[in-house]
Amino acid sequence: MKDQNKLFTLDEKHLIIGGGLAGISLAHRMEDAGKDFLIVDSGVNHSTSIAAGMINPMVFRTMVKTWKADELFPELIKFYRHLELKVKQNFLFNRSIKRIFSTAHERKLWNERLNDDSYAPYISPSSPIMPEWLDANFGAGTVLTPGYIDSELFLRCNHHYFQTKGKMQKADFNGLKLDESNLNYDGIKYKSITFCEGYKGKDNPYFGYLPLQQTKGEILEVTSNDFQKTEILNRKCFVLPTEAGTFKIGATFAWNTTNLSPTITAKTELQEQLASFSKASYTIINQQAGIRPTVTDRRPLLGEHPIHRGLFIFNGLGTKGYMLAPYFSGQLSRRILHGETLDSEVDIKRFYSKHYK
Ligand SMILES: Cc1cc2nc3c(=O)[nH]c(=O)nc-3n(C[C@H](O)[C@H](O)[C@H](O)COP(=O)(O)OP(=O)(O)OC[C@H]3O[C@@H](n4cnc5c(N)ncnc54)[C@H](O)[C@@H]3O)c2cc1C
């Protein structure tokens, strides 16, 4: 009788491979749903902990709201505040974004959006008073956002939370230990196994066929007496004031590379971008590189393997992972636990036809 109870408990357990933003978010969803789970993470992270963690509802190139902003925003504030309470650590810090317009056309588009009620939660006019070191000939507008997530702190406190509860194991996923026909991994039978491997997902034996790209990004960390501490600046690059009193300048894009070394090319590029709108003085104290898991159609990858049922993927969070993860971890957990339908734009079924009949 005792053994039967044990078997039942194990049957209800869910395995999550990868403890970055995707894995952490899904694990919280599982925990909130009262489900047992284990996260297996290799212990090195090159995206979630490197990210600037900015939450920006606007796409400046076209001056429109980002995809699904109206659904993502209410969910993300609720989700991150809830996590802060669970892990007993604040990591979401309030900052607005000052967008420095680069052309008169951009300013015109912005003013049109200001007259559109559906943009009221996201943008407001900016003070016309500008610091003398800032080149803002075409003016600026303010983006209203919950701010930024201290990404290094986010990863650290969430790992600590799950490790303390015995819900996280430091190990590499080993395909030889998986019997996918009955979802048995390392001698334990799971109800579901979800791969949340970030850019490493490209090498996944089950989901490697999906069009995941590896997009390197680099960020400088600087000290400065000029930059303001309450506002993120954005034009060709961003300047993000951190809680630690430093500023992050980013970010670059380099496609299809897994080289994690910071480069002089990226450093020069960021310095030139900054110099195009700012004469503020600063001192570089650090440079970091990471790799974003991006997708050719710019939508996340969620769903169940077409043949190996019970194997799931949560990946492709791209350049705006901190905005997407709260909403889509909720959707994926309901798919895994209750069979609910996924948004067709993110469901990996959109790529089935090319690879599976
Ligand atoms: C420079 C830069 C700036 C960014 N800025 C922002 C920003 O301002 N705002 C924003 O929203 N997003 C930003 N992002 C994007 C954001 O970081 C990503 O969307 C998000 O962190 C991806 O999370 P993930 O969990 O999918 O991947 P990852 O963070 O890469 O996590 C994957 C985890 O899986 C583990 N893993 C992988 N394979 C295995 C395996 N086989 N076995 C065990 N463990 C494994 C790894 O150890 C890792 O911890 C930025 C990214 C970069 C690089």
Side-chain angles (χ1 to χ4, degrees), residues 193-211:
I193 299 177
T194 306
F195 292 96
C196 307
E197 298 169 293
Y199 77 96
K200 293 259 170 121
K202 208 171 160 61
D203 306 323
N204 184 282
Y206 303 96
F207 294 100
Y209 70 91
L210 292 168

Side-chain angles (χ1 to χ4, degrees), residues 46-54 148-152 215-222 237-242 246-254 260-271 273-274 282-292 319 322:
H46 299 294
S47 193
T48 297
S49 63
I50 303 291
M54 261 183 319
Y148 88 102
I149 289 189
D150 182 327
S151 57
E152 195 271 327
T215 308
K216 183 175 181 180
E218 296 191 47
I219 292 184
L220 299 177
E221 189 169 4
V222 308
C237 60
F238 62 77
V239 181
L240 167 81
T242 70
T246 61
F247 299 86
K248 290 197 172 172
I249 299 173
T252 57
F253 286 83
L260 287 156
S261 303
T263 61
I264 292 176
T265 315
K267 182 177 170 183
T268 309
E269 184 183 325
L270 290 171
Q271 286 184 289
Q273 286 175 350
L274 184 60
Y282 61 88
T283 307
I284 298 175
I285 55 168
N286 197 12
Q287 180 176 356
Q288 281 185 298
I291 309 212
R292 310 168 182 92
T319 58
Y322 279 96

Side-chain angles (χ1 to χ4, degrees), residues 18 21-22 41-42 44-45 47-48 51 53-54 173 197 318-322:
L21 174 61
D41 183 79
S42 58
V44 283
N45 187 280
S47 193
T48 297
M54 261 183 319
F173 168 74
E197 298 169 293
T319 58
K320 297 196 169 187
Y322 279 96

